[in-house]
Amino acid sequence: MEGRLNTTGYSQEMDEEIEIKLRPSSFDQYIGQDKVKENMQVFVQAALGRGETLDHVLLYGQPGLGKTTLSSIIAGAMGAQLKITTGPAIERPGDIAATLNDLNEGDFLFIDEIHRLNRTVEEMLYSAMEDFVFDIIIGKGPGAKSIRLELPRFTLIGATTRIGLLTAPLRDRFGVVHHLEPYSVSDLQKIIIRSAAVLDVEIEPSGAEEIARRARGTPRIVNRLLKRVRDFAQVQYDGIITENVARASLDKLEIDRLGLDTVDKKILLAIIEKFGGGPVGLDTLAASIDEEAGTLEDVAEPYLLQLGFIQRTPRGRTATRLAYTHLGVPCLQ
Ligand code: ADP
């Protein structure tokens, strides 16, 4: 197969193909998040029963928890199309006008990272969400004219990792707001077993549990680890993912028993060794390990906070005693 090769030797296309196969396409296949799923199924059924479009939905939670997947399941259950875009991709008023103009009656528009919409674009969305109209200003200065466009009724699904960065007027325009939580080990184990069946790889329940325990509550991570463990199982063992194969492979990938990887450890060691345990500001910390502050805050930090390894204080991040213990570094405080 042609295409760019990533570090694992798979082509980008092959990985994308696998990704599509692994993505659940119905509520039944979507594991965990029972409360959210149950509520959404009621709202979908009610809207279908009334012959109406679904109210706008806001989903928030860390990356990889299944916001996009759930959105496409919801649209599918409504028998509708889902158009996907992201906040940063809609830069100018013309972009949002084109996106909305492209919608048909009953379509779903999914905006990922909706907290990153710029203010002008966001304000233009208000009337589109509330009254399904859209005002375009033509010309400049005193001669400028406003033209009102009628839009088909559509459902906006906004996804964000940072609900706190959403303005109140935008948040209030969503009729349904749901928080996706990190998954339990047993839910992640079910996801792995389903994914292994899709990938046609043999796995023992204890092997699935070992991977689940190191996947920091996240389906995207669990699937990624499964793909890599499968490689080790195929090349260095007899193809079956047992507990031992999973453990040995994850050790080789430098993912420890709590799911911390080399970046997490770099963060903790930087706080401890370079900044005396903290507090240290996010930007300084990110620069010291050559990572982006945004990635650090969205991807690594939530899990370290969840484990109680770091604390956020008004003066910056500090490492806790638990972090010292986990890393085996003596705590002198
Ligand atoms: P997000 O939009 O929150 O970043 P995605 O919807 O892209 O996350 O999910 C990442 C991957 O994890 C998906 O491709 C899918 O295969 C898997 N996944 C997510 N949620 C579930 C779930 N509840 N059950 C099974 N697999 C899931």
Side-chain angles (χ1 to χ4, degrees):
M1 192 178 275
E2 287 192 351
R4 279 168 293 152
L5 290 183
N6 57 29
T7 49
T8 62
Y10 282 101
S11 75
Q12 193 88 2
E13 287 84 352
M14 214 189 288
D15 253 0
E16 276 165 22
E17 235 171 76
I18 294 174
E19 194 48 43
I20 292 168
K21 278 209 262 173
L22 291 180
R23 205 175 266 262
S25 57
S26 67
F27 281 117
D28 285 347
Q29 292 174 1
Y30 191 86
I31 291 158
Q33 309 292 348
D34 292 339
K35 240 191 258 162
V36 177
K37 211 164 64 170
E38 217 176 278
N39 287 345
M40 285 314 315
Q41 281 175 293
V42 171
F43 303 148
V44 165
Q45 209 181 325
L48 283 174
R50 291 193 298 264
E52 289 176 1
T53 50
L54 194 69
D55 220 343
H56 305 302
V57 180
L58 180 65
L59 298 175
Y60 69 101
Q62 292 154 35
L65 289 186
K67 299 181 291 298
T68 315
T69 307
L70 183 60
S71 304
S72 80
I73 292 172
I74 294 169
M78 291 289 297
Q81 294 283 335
L82 178 76
K83 298 193 168 147
I84 297 182
T85 184
T86 70
I90 312 174
E91 272 179 64
R92 291 171 309 240
D95 299 330
I96 187 70
T99 304
L100 293 172
N101 200 34
D102 212 25
L103 295 174
N104 295 309
E105 188 76 21
D107 276 355
F108 278 67
L109 175 64
F110 177 80
I111 306 185
D112 204 4
E113 298 189 73
I114 196 163
H115 61 274
R116 291 179 63 190
L117 279 179
N118 73 52
R119 194 51 63 90
T120 320
V121 168
E122 179 182 317
E123 283 171 5
M124 294 177 86
L125 258 185
Y126 296 163
S127 63
M129 289 175 75
E130 211 157 61
D131 303 316
F132 302 98
V133 294
F134 188 67
D135 295 316
I136 306 181
I137 312 281
I138 296 185
K140 277 190 184 147
K145 270 196 307 192
S146 167
I147 299 179
R148 177 155 279 203
L149 285 184
E150 296 278 333
L151 294 170
R153 291 188 79 85
F154 69 98
T155 300
L156 176 68
I157 305 190
T160 179
T161 48
R162 308 256 202 101
I163 185 89
L165 295 184
L166 240 63
T167 63
L170 181 59
R171 209 175 45 224
D172 293 347
R173 282 174 169 79
F174 288 95
V176 178
V177 179
H178 278 311
H179 180 203
L180 297 192
E181 305 270 355
Y183 291 63
S184 65
V185 169
S186 84
D187 280 341
L188 291 175
Q189 192 185 8
K190 286 185 201 142
I191 293 176
I192 299 177
I193 289 172
R194 175 182 172 271
S195 298
V198 173
L199 297 173
D200 202 16
V201 45
E202 204 174 321
I203 189 163
E204 291 183 355
S206 55
E209 190 184 333
E210 184 64 30
I211 302 176
R213 257 194 262 116
R214 304 201 202 189
R216 50 207 307 164
T218 310
R220 180 177 294 139
I221 297 180
V222 112
N223 281 340
R224 196 178 67 214
L225 296 182
L226 171 65
K227 285 189 272 175
R228 298 298 74 87
V229 173
R230 174 180 73 157
D231 295 341
F232 283 105
Q234 181 189 324
V235 174
Q236 298 189 342
Y237 303 92
D238 60 0
I240 302 169
I241 302 178
T242 61
E243 186 178 344
N244 278 341
V245 170
R247 186 170 301 143
S249 312
L250 292 165
D251 286 346
K252 281 186 197 137
L253 292 168
E254 294 188 64
I255 312 246
D256 77 12
R257 66 189 167 77
L258 288 181
L260 300 190
D261 60 18
T262 43
V263 175
D264 300 309
K265 289 193 195 136
K266 243 169 43 180
I267 294 169
L268 293 176
L269 285 173
I271 302 178
I272 291 172
E273 289 171 354
K274 294 186 188 165
F275 303 103
V280 50
L282 180 72
D283 289 327
T284 312
L285 178 60
S288 79
I289 56 166
D290 211 12
E291 289 284 340
E292 292 225 341
T295 315
L296 207 146
E297 195 168 18
D298 281 350
V299 182
E301 195 174 69
Y303 188 59
L304 295 175
L305 284 166
Q306 196 182 315
L307 290 175
F309 281 6
I310 57 171
Q311 271 175 346
R312 270 166 129 156
T313 71
R315 290 190 301 135
R317 276 69 177 164
T318 58
T320 65
R321 200 171 281 274
L322 287 174
Y324 283 81
T325 311
H326 183 70
L327 295 175
V329 180
C331 181
L332 305 173
Q333 297 158 6

